[in-house]
Amino acid sequence: MGDFGGIALIFIAVILFFFLISAIKIIPEYEKGVIFRLGRLVGVRGPGLFFVIPMLERMFRIDTRVITMDVPAQEVITRDNVTIRVNAVLYFLVIDPGRAVVNVMDYIRATMQIAQTTLRSVVGQFELDEMLSQREQINHRLQQIIDEQTEPWGIKVNIVEIKDVELPQSMQRAMAKQAEAEREKRAKIIHADGEFQASKRLAEAADVISREPVTLQLRYLQTLTEIAVEKNSTLVFPLPIDLIRPFIDRAYSGVQNDHYSEGGKKPNEARPADGQRRGLFDPMTGLPLE
């Protein structure tokens, strides 16, 4: 009888030991323990060391760190009837572990489904150009809608970002042609504007030269200076026709005099000076040629 009592005591001690071991719970800093007592929620405990009543209380561990979720690519028809594939990334965390356990069966899967549905719904409200240019606005709207829908589950959605937009090949070629045409348009406008400004400057320069003919000769000298700097073996000298016109006129006058002498006409018939008749001026002095 004494041996049986000793075995019973040992058995009870072992049961108490395992009972004590099962009652001790250790929760790390990034988790919370949701406690149910006889099926009723009694609170959230942790982090750290605490005790639960075996067979009467049950604990569920909930991770409170930020969860990163890839939203699979979704086929979306935009408002201008273009079919595209869009994927996104979602960042969320549990702020109320009790509601995350009680109000939804699997809060991660439920958040995933909400994110996919909202992504298709929101992107379909925009045109293709708007979706490509207003990415930040669409991300903010996605975050706001998903956060409102998951708030009863104790979920806080921090960031929603659209990662990639996959366009059909035909649409990519059409957009490339449109971008190329737009660049050519801007190039032609810039070139035409430059020609217009240059023509205005040339008109002003011509007006100055017409008032002061000596400026043309100064410009010739400046051109020679610029050419000489390059150390070229060939030097092109721009010679104004007005400088040699007096010699041409004298030669022409001598030929006419010879012709008149041979024809019996008066060789010294009074005529106005060639320079005065043609309105010629010396480009160096600005005086009329005689």
Side-chain angles (χ1 to χ4, degrees):
M1 186 68 181
D3 294 338
F4 180 76
I7 294 174
L9 290 175
I10 294 174
F11 180 74
I12 294 174
V14 171
I15 292 178
L16 290 177
F17 175 77
F18 283 105
F19 184 84
L20 181 63
I21 291 298
S22 63
I24 299 175
K25 300 296 181 183
I26 300 176
I27 298 296
E29 185 69 29
Y30 55 85
E31 288 184 351
K32 295 289 185 180
V34 182
I35 307 299
F36 289 86
R37 181 180 302 159
L38 297 177
R40 297 179 62 88
L41 178 65
V42 295
V44 179
R45 299 180 185 175
L49 175 66
F50 58 90
F51 295 91
V52 297
I53 303 174
M55 296 182 295
L56 296 181
E57 294 182 346
R58 185 180 179 185
M59 184 188 73
F60 292 89
R61 292 174 178 265
I62 300 296
D63 197 326
T64 58
R65 292 175 293 183
V66 175
I67 300 175
T68 303
M69 177 186 297
D70 286 329
V71 182
Q74 305 293 312
E75 286 194 359
V76 183
I77 300 178
T78 60
R79 195 171 64 181
D80 52 349
N81 298 325
V82 178
T83 302
I84 59 176
R85 291 176 60 86
V86 183
N87 60 356
V89 61
L90 182 71
Y91 299 89
F92 68 96
L93 73 160
V94 179
I95 58 175
D96 191 339
R99 287 190 293 174
V101 175
V102 175
N103 294 349
V104 63
M105 179 179 292
D106 186 351
Y107 66 90
I108 295 180
R109 184 172 181 273
T111 304
M112 168 72 76
Q113 298 300 321
I114 287 292
Q116 294 180 14
T117 305
T118 306
L119 180 62
R120 290 194 298 267
S121 176
V122 172
V123 173
Q125 299 175 6
F126 291 84
E127 295 184 358
L128 179 60
D129 292 340
E130 295 175 348
M131 210 213 56
L132 295 176
S133 61
Q134 302 178 12
R135 187 77 62 89
E136 184 177 354
Q137 178 181 351
I138 297 176
N139 293 336
H140 178 71
R141 188 168 181 180
L142 285 170
Q143 184 269 333
Q144 184 178 8
I145 294 176
I146 298 175
D147 186 47
E148 290 177 357
Q149 293 178 342
T150 58
E151 191 272 336
W153 306 338
I155 306 297
K156 174 62 179 176
V157 178
N158 293 329
I159 303 173
V160 179
E161 290 285 345
I162 295 177
K163 292 198 301 184
D164 188 24
V165 178
E166 183 178 347
L167 301 175
Q169 292 294 330
S170 58
M171 181 58 63
Q172 293 181 14
R173 289 192 295 268
M175 294 179 65
K177 291 181 180 178
Q178 179 184 1
E180 183 178 359
E182 185 67 25
R183 288 193 296 269
E184 290 181 355
K185 171 187 173 183
R186 291 198 298 266
K188 290 180 179 178
I189 292 176
I190 294 173
H191 180 71
D193 185 65
E195 292 291 338
F196 175 72
Q197 295 183 10
S199 63
K200 291 176 63 177
R201 293 298 182 184
L202 288 174
E204 294 176 0
D207 183 61
V208 173
I209 292 175
S210 64
R211 293 196 306 267
E212 298 292 340
V214 71
T215 57
L216 183 61
Q217 183 64 22
L218 295 177
R219 180 57 183 162
Y220 289 152
L221 296 176
Q222 183 180 2
T223 304
L224 291 176
T225 304
E226 295 174 356
I227 295 175
V229 172
E230 299 295 333
K231 298 181 181 179
N232 294 328
S233 59
T234 303
L235 183 63
V236 180
F237 181 76
L239 183 63
I241 193 65
D242 291 340
L243 293 179
I244 62 174
R245 185 176 295 276
F247 303 100
I248 297 175
D249 290 340
R250 290 182 182 179
Y252 178 74
S253 176
V255 171
Q256 281 191 337
N257 291 336
D258 295 339
H259 178 70
Y260 291 150
S261 299
E262 294 176 359
K265 296 183 179 180
K266 296 181 180 180
N268 298 325
E269 187 175 358
R271 291 184 295 114
D274 294 332
Q276 296 177 357
R277 176 169 52 86
R278 292 177 175 83
L280 301 178
F281 297 87
D282 188 350
M284 297 297 295
T285 62
L287 301 177
L289 295 174
E290 296 181 356

